[in-house]
Amino acid sequence: MSNYFIQPLDYAQANPEKAHKHTFLETSRLLTGLNSLAPGQTQAIHDHSDQDKFYLVLAGTGHFTVGDSTQACGPGMLILAPAGIRHGVENQSNDLLTFLTVIAPWH
């Protein structure tokens, strides 16, 4: 890795075919990446049985689901999804939704 200081939003982009993903760091301990969802795109509800995850919204607004709760979340909102808890996100807005995703441990 040659760049330790990153402006994540420089990597945000809309892809009309599917959600855009960019990985910043991937080791056996951690995955750090950026996700961008165009209007109407979703990350399906899923879980990671042995991995903790968090999302940090950087731009736009998305409807994040964790367990039985769904909430509209905008810039600065931190969403926690502990191992084994179902989670996902939907962009119901007219704007690009961009968020940082961190998963650990990564394998």
Side-chain angles (χ1 to χ4, degrees):
M1 183 170 158
S2 61
N3 189 358
Y4 297 107
F5 305 96
I6 299 165
Q7 290 288 339
L9 287 175
D10 289 349
Y11 297 84
Q13 57 184 281
N15 180 342
E17 303 298 316
K18 63 179 183 174
H20 172 75
K21 294 183 179 186
H22 180 86
T23 300
F24 296 116
L25 176 67
E26 183 175 358
T27 70
S28 62
R29 299 172 306 277
L30 183 76
L31 172 75
T32 304
L34 186 84
N35 295 70
S36 298
L37 283 87
Q41 290 180 333
T42 65
Q43 179 190 75
I45 302 291
H46 64 286
D47 68 22
H48 307 274
S49 63
D50 60 350
Q51 297 170 305
D52 296 313
K53 180 179 197 175
F54 75 78
Y55 303 101
L56 178 62
V57 180
L58 301 176
T61 300
H63 285 79
F64 288 79
T65 298
V66 180
D68 294 330
S69 299
T70 300
Q71 181 175 322
C73 299
M77 182 66 77
L78 177 67
I79 300 96
L80 304 175
I85 304 295
R86 296 180 57 73
H87 56 277
V89 59
E90 182 176 359
N91 184 355
Q92 298 178 2
S93 78
N94 293 322
D95 300 314
L96 185 66
L97 168 63
T98 303
F99 51 92
L100 190 67
T101 301
V102 177
I103 301 173
W106 183 249
H107 41 103

